[in-house]
PDB file of all heavy atoms in Angstrom:
ATOM      1  N   GLU A  16     -31.396  -7.687 -32.866  1.00  0.00           N
ATOM      2  CA  GLU A  16     -30.119  -7.167 -33.302  1.00  0.00           C
ATOM      3  C   GLU A  16     -29.888  -5.736 -32.633  1.00  0.00           C
ATOM      4  O   GLU A  16     -28.799  -5.485 -32.153  1.00  0.00           O
ATOM      5  CB  GLU A  16     -29.980  -7.075 -34.751  1.00  0.00           C
ATOM      6  CG  GLU A  16     -29.924  -8.387 -35.537  1.00  0.00           C
ATOM      7  CD  GLU A  16     -30.068  -8.280 -36.981  1.00  0.00           C
ATOM      8  OE1 GLU A  16     -30.711  -7.319 -37.489  1.00  0.00           O
ATOM      9  OE2 GLU A  16     -29.455  -9.111 -37.633  1.00  0.00           O
ATOM     10  N   ILE A  17     -30.907  -4.949 -32.591  1.00  0.00           N
ATOM     11  CA  ILE A  17     -30.793  -3.634 -31.942  1.00  0.00           C
ATOM     12  C   ILE A  17     -30.536  -3.779 -30.455  1.00  0.00           C
ATOM     13  O   ILE A  17     -29.649  -3.032 -29.904  1.00  0.00           O
ATOM     14  CB  ILE A  17     -32.063  -2.761 -32.207  1.00  0.00           C
ATOM     15  CG1 ILE A  17     -32.138  -2.440 -33.726  1.00  0.00           C
ATOM     16  CG2 ILE A  17     -32.089  -1.526 -31.403  1.00  0.00           C
ATOM     17  CD1 ILE A  17     -33.448  -1.836 -34.122  1.00  0.00           C
ATOM     18  N   GLU A  18     -31.199  -4.613 -29.811  1.00  0.00           N
ATOM     19  CA  GLU A  18     -31.060  -4.844 -28.345  1.00  0.00           C
ATOM     20  C   GLU A  18     -29.612  -5.362 -28.125  1.00  0.00           C
ATOM     21  O   GLU A  18     -28.964  -4.971 -27.095  1.00  0.00           O
ATOM     22  CB  GLU A  18     -32.115  -5.899 -27.800  1.00  0.00           C
ATOM     23  CG  GLU A  18     -33.459  -5.248 -27.581  1.00  0.00           C
ATOM     24  CD  GLU A  18     -34.439  -6.201 -27.053  1.00  0.00           C
ATOM     25  OE1 GLU A  18     -34.014  -7.073 -26.206  1.00  0.00           O
ATOM     26  OE2 GLU A  18     -35.634  -6.067 -27.354  1.00  0.00           O
ATOM     27  N   ALA A  19     -29.178  -6.212 -28.985  1.00  0.00           N
ATOM     28  CA  ALA A  19     -27.707  -6.786 -28.759  1.00  0.00           C
ATOM     29  C   ALA A  19     -26.750  -5.650 -28.912  1.00  0.00           C
ATOM     30  O   ALA A  19     -25.784  -5.579 -28.070  1.00  0.00           O
ATOM     31  CB  ALA A  19     -27.436  -7.823 -29.811  1.00  0.00           C
ATOM     32  N   LEU A  20     -27.004  -4.711 -29.809  1.00  0.00           N
ATOM     33  CA  LEU A  20     -26.112  -3.578 -29.927  1.00  0.00           C
ATOM     34  C   LEU A  20     -26.092  -2.632 -28.753  1.00  0.00           C
ATOM     35  O   LEU A  20     -25.124  -2.145 -28.267  1.00  0.00           O
ATOM     36  CB  LEU A  20     -26.348  -2.810 -31.155  1.00  0.00           C
ATOM     37  CG  LEU A  20     -25.967  -3.454 -32.521  1.00  0.00           C
ATOM     38  CD1 LEU A  20     -26.433  -2.652 -33.690  1.00  0.00           C
ATOM     39  CD2 LEU A  20     -24.505  -3.636 -32.676  1.00  0.00           C
ATOM     40  N   ILE A  21     -27.332  -2.412 -28.215  1.00  0.00           N
ATOM     41  CA  ILE A  21     -27.557  -1.537 -27.117  1.00  0.00           C
ATOM     42  C   ILE A  21     -26.835  -2.064 -25.856  1.00  0.00           C
ATOM     43  O   ILE A  21     -26.332  -1.331 -25.078  1.00  0.00           O
ATOM     44  CB  ILE A  21     -29.072  -1.326 -26.850  1.00  0.00           C
ATOM     45  CG1 ILE A  21     -29.631  -0.486 -27.897  1.00  0.00           C
ATOM     46  CG2 ILE A  21     -29.307  -0.647 -25.495  1.00  0.00           C
ATOM     47  CD1 ILE A  21     -31.178  -0.372 -27.913  1.00  0.00           C
ATOM     48  N   ASN A  22     -26.913  -3.404 -25.745  1.00  0.00           N
ATOM     49  CA  ASN A  22     -26.305  -4.037 -24.525  1.00  0.00           C
ATOM     50  C   ASN A  22     -24.829  -4.246 -24.522  1.00  0.00           C
ATOM     51  O   ASN A  22     -24.179  -4.693 -23.607  1.00  0.00           O
ATOM     52  CB  ASN A  22     -27.017  -5.396 -24.267  1.00  0.00           C
ATOM     53  CG  ASN A  22     -28.426  -5.247 -23.912  1.00  0.00           C
ATOM     54  OD1 ASN A  22     -28.781  -4.276 -23.121  1.00  0.00           O
ATOM     55  ND2 ASN A  22     -29.326  -6.149 -24.272  1.00  0.00           N
ATOM     56  N   LEU A  23     -24.243  -3.837 -25.721  1.00  0.00           N
ATOM     57  CA  LEU A  23     -22.773  -3.942 -25.696  1.00  0.00           C
ATOM     58  C   LEU A  23     -22.105  -2.893 -24.839  1.00  0.00           C
ATOM     59  O   LEU A  23     -22.480  -1.688 -24.945  1.00  0.00           O
ATOM     60  CB  LEU A  23     -22.223  -3.725 -27.152  1.00  0.00           C
ATOM     61  CG  LEU A  23     -22.419  -4.949 -28.105  1.00  0.00           C
ATOM     62  CD1 LEU A  23     -21.866  -4.532 -29.469  1.00  0.00           C
ATOM     63  CD2 LEU A  23     -21.671  -6.122 -27.617  1.00  0.00           C
ATOM     64  N   THR A  24     -21.292  -3.308 -23.986  1.00  0.00           N
ATOM     65  CA  THR A  24     -20.560  -2.369 -23.138  1.00  0.00           C
ATOM     66  C   THR A  24     -19.034  -2.500 -23.533  1.00  0.00           C
ATOM     67  O   THR A  24     -18.664  -3.496 -24.194  1.00  0.00           O
ATOM     68  CB  THR A  24     -20.707  -2.715 -21.675  1.00  0.00           C
ATOM     69  OG1 THR A  24     -20.100  -4.042 -21.448  1.00  0.00           O
ATOM     70  CG2 THR A  24     -22.111  -2.740 -21.199  1.00  0.00           C
ATOM     71  N   PRO A  25     -18.262  -1.443 -23.221  1.00  0.00           N
ATOM     72  CA  PRO A  25     -16.868  -1.566 -23.532  1.00  0.00           C
ATOM     73  C   PRO A  25     -16.200  -2.817 -22.994  1.00  0.00           C
ATOM     74  O   PRO A  25     -15.409  -3.537 -23.644  1.00  0.00           O
ATOM     75  CB  PRO A  25     -16.234  -0.329 -22.924  1.00  0.00           C
ATOM     76  CG  PRO A  25     -17.403   0.649 -22.872  1.00  0.00           C
ATOM     77  CD  PRO A  25     -18.618  -0.188 -22.660  1.00  0.00           C
ATOM     78  N   MET A  26     -16.681  -3.266 -21.745  1.00  0.00           N
ATOM     79  CA  MET A  26     -16.015  -4.500 -21.148  1.00  0.00           C
ATOM     80  C   MET A  26     -16.380  -5.683 -21.948  1.00  0.00           C
ATOM     81  O   MET A  26     -15.641  -6.588 -22.208  1.00  0.00           O
ATOM     82  CB  MET A  26     -16.524  -4.608 -19.715  1.00  0.00           C
ATOM     83  CG  MET A  26     -15.884  -5.748 -19.004  1.00  0.00           C
ATOM     84  SD  MET A  26     -14.168  -5.617 -18.776  1.00  0.00           S
ATOM     85  CE  MET A  26     -14.005  -4.536 -17.373  1.00  0.00           C
ATOM     86  N   LYS A  27     -17.683  -5.770 -22.383  1.00  0.00           N
ATOM     87  CA  LYS A  27     -18.115  -6.947 -23.178  1.00  0.00           C
ATOM     88  C   LYS A  27     -17.309  -6.994 -24.483  1.00  0.00           C
ATOM     89  O   LYS A  27     -16.874  -8.108 -24.945  1.00  0.00           O
ATOM     90  CB  LYS A  27     -19.619  -6.852 -23.500  1.00  0.00           C
ATOM     91  CG  LYS A  27     -20.512  -7.210 -22.306  1.00  0.00           C
ATOM     92  CD  LYS A  27     -21.920  -7.247 -22.656  1.00  0.00           C
ATOM     93  CE  LYS A  27     -22.825  -7.511 -21.560  1.00  0.00           C
ATOM     94  NZ  LYS A  27     -24.236  -7.454 -21.968  1.00  0.00           N
ATOM     95  N   VAL A  28     -17.140  -5.841 -25.166  1.00  0.00           N
ATOM     96  CA  VAL A  28     -16.413  -5.839 -26.427  1.00  0.00           C
ATOM     97  C   VAL A  28     -14.942  -6.286 -26.211  1.00  0.00           C
ATOM     98  O   VAL A  28     -14.445  -7.113 -26.962  1.00  0.00           O
ATOM     99  CB  VAL A  28     -16.487  -4.398 -27.020  1.00  0.00           C
ATOM    100  CG1 VAL A  28     -15.565  -4.307 -28.273  1.00  0.00           C
ATOM    101  CG2 VAL A  28     -17.901  -4.038 -27.441  1.00  0.00           C
ATOM    102  N   MET A  29     -14.317  -5.811 -25.195  1.00  0.00           N
ATOM    103  CA  MET A  29     -12.962  -6.183 -24.964  1.00  0.00           C
ATOM    104  C   MET A  29     -12.820  -7.601 -24.560  1.00  0.00           C
ATOM    105  O   MET A  29     -11.893  -8.249 -24.935  1.00  0.00           O
ATOM    106  CB  MET A  29     -12.312  -5.223 -23.910  1.00  0.00           C
ATOM    107  CG  MET A  29     -11.928  -3.836 -24.437  1.00  0.00           C
ATOM    108  SD  MET A  29     -10.901  -2.885 -23.380  1.00  0.00           S
ATOM    109  CE  MET A  29     -12.164  -2.296 -22.203  1.00  0.00           C
ATOM    110  N   THR A  30     -13.757  -8.088 -23.809  1.00  0.00           N
ATOM    111  CA  THR A  30     -13.741  -9.502 -23.414  1.00  0.00           C
ATOM    112  C   THR A  30     -13.914 -10.390 -24.674  1.00  0.00           C
ATOM    113  O   THR A  30     -13.196 -11.432 -24.758  1.00  0.00           O
ATOM    114  CB  THR A  30     -14.872  -9.791 -22.346  1.00  0.00           C
ATOM    115  OG1 THR A  30     -14.621  -8.902 -21.232  1.00  0.00           O
ATOM    116  CG2 THR A  30     -14.808 -11.222 -21.964  1.00  0.00           C
ATOM    117  N   GLN A  31     -14.878 -10.024 -25.524  1.00  0.00           N
ATOM    118  CA  GLN A  31     -15.041 -10.739 -26.749  1.00  0.00           C
ATOM    119  C   GLN A  31     -13.742 -10.708 -27.611  1.00  0.00           C
ATOM    120  O   GLN A  31     -13.336 -11.730 -28.184  1.00  0.00           O
ATOM    121  CB  GLN A  31     -16.218 -10.233 -27.568  1.00  0.00           C
ATOM    122  CG  GLN A  31     -17.539 -10.483 -26.922  1.00  0.00           C
ATOM    123  CD  GLN A  31     -18.681  -9.742 -27.625  1.00  0.00           C
ATOM    124  OE1 GLN A  31     -18.448  -8.894 -28.451  1.00  0.00           O
ATOM    125  NE2 GLN A  31     -19.901 -10.063 -27.236  1.00  0.00           N
ATOM    126  N   ASN A  32     -13.123  -9.570 -27.669  1.00  0.00           N
ATOM    127  CA  ASN A  32     -11.814  -9.512 -28.435  1.00  0.00           C
ATOM    128  C   ASN A  32     -10.732 -10.348 -27.854  1.00  0.00           C
ATOM    129  O   ASN A  32      -9.982 -10.998 -28.516  1.00  0.00           O
ATOM    130  CB  ASN A  32     -11.416  -8.001 -28.531  1.00  0.00           C
ATOM    131  CG  ASN A  32     -12.269  -7.153 -29.410  1.00  0.00           C
ATOM    132  OD1 ASN A  32     -13.003  -7.690 -30.252  1.00  0.00           O
ATOM    133  ND2 ASN A  32     -12.175  -5.870 -29.338  1.00  0.00           N
ATOM    134  N   MET A  33     -10.764 -10.370 -26.510  1.00  0.00           N
ATOM    135  CA  MET A  33      -9.753 -11.209 -25.809  1.00  0.00           C
ATOM    136  C   MET A  33      -9.954 -12.636 -26.092  1.00  0.00           C
ATOM    137  O   MET A  33      -9.026 -13.422 -26.379  1.00  0.00           O
ATOM    138  CB  MET A  33      -9.841 -10.964 -24.303  1.00  0.00           C
ATOM    139  CG  MET A  33      -8.694 -11.541 -23.574  1.00  0.00           C
ATOM    140  SD  MET A  33      -7.079 -10.767 -23.984  1.00  0.00           S
ATOM    141  CE  MET A  33      -5.938 -11.998 -23.464  1.00  0.00           C
ATOM    142  N   LYS A  34     -11.165 -13.117 -26.195  1.00  0.00           N
ATOM    143  CA  LYS A  34     -11.529 -14.517 -26.504  1.00  0.00           C
ATOM    144  C   LYS A  34     -11.034 -14.775 -27.987  1.00  0.00           C
ATOM    145  O   LYS A  34     -10.448 -15.814 -28.222  1.00  0.00           O
ATOM    146  CB  LYS A  34     -13.006 -14.752 -26.452  1.00  0.00           C
ATOM    147  CG  LYS A  34     -13.343 -16.118 -26.765  1.00  0.00           C
ATOM    148  CD  LYS A  34     -14.887 -16.388 -26.686  1.00  0.00           C
ATOM    149  CE  LYS A  34     -15.147 -17.780 -27.015  1.00  0.00           C
ATOM    150  NZ  LYS A  34     -16.538 -18.013 -27.483  1.00  0.00           N
ATOM    151  N   GLN A  35     -11.252 -13.836 -28.828  1.00  0.00           N
ATOM    152  CA  GLN A  35     -10.750 -13.983 -30.282  1.00  0.00           C
ATOM    153  C   GLN A  35      -9.230 -14.037 -30.319  1.00  0.00           C
ATOM    154  O   GLN A  35      -8.701 -14.884 -31.036  1.00  0.00           O
ATOM    155  CB  GLN A  35     -11.316 -12.871 -31.147  1.00  0.00           C
ATOM    156  CG  GLN A  35     -12.743 -12.875 -31.387  1.00  0.00           C
ATOM    157  CD  GLN A  35     -13.332 -11.695 -32.042  1.00  0.00           C
ATOM    158  OE1 GLN A  35     -12.682 -10.688 -32.097  1.00  0.00           O
ATOM    159  NE2 GLN A  35     -14.532 -11.884 -32.665  1.00  0.00           N
ATOM    160  N   VAL A  36      -8.542 -13.236 -29.570  1.00  0.00           N
ATOM    161  CA  VAL A  36      -7.075 -13.274 -29.554  1.00  0.00           C
ATOM    162  C   VAL A  36      -6.596 -14.631 -29.018  1.00  0.00           C
ATOM    163  O   VAL A  36      -5.707 -15.250 -29.600  1.00  0.00           O
ATOM    164  CB  VAL A  36      -6.487 -12.106 -28.714  1.00  0.00           C
ATOM    165  CG1 VAL A  36      -5.025 -12.301 -28.528  1.00  0.00           C
ATOM    166  CG2 VAL A  36      -6.786 -10.806 -29.382  1.00  0.00           C
ATOM    167  N   ALA A  37      -7.200 -15.103 -27.932  1.00  0.00           N
ATOM    168  CA  ALA A  37      -6.787 -16.391 -27.360  1.00  0.00           C
ATOM    169  C   ALA A  37      -7.068 -17.542 -28.345  1.00  0.00           C
ATOM    170  O   ALA A  37      -6.224 -18.394 -28.482  1.00  0.00           O
ATOM    171  CB  ALA A  37      -7.672 -16.656 -26.078  1.00  0.00           C
TER     172      ALA A  37
END
Side-chain angles (χ1 to χ4, degrees):
E16 292 171 327
I17 292 170
E18 285 182 32
L20 288 174
I21 290 170
N22 290 327
L23 283 179
T24 64
M26 185 63 82
K27 284 183 183 178
V28 171
M29 284 192 279
T30 302
Q31 289 170 350
N32 288 342
M33 191 64 201
K34 181 180 178 203
Q35 291 173 340
V36 168

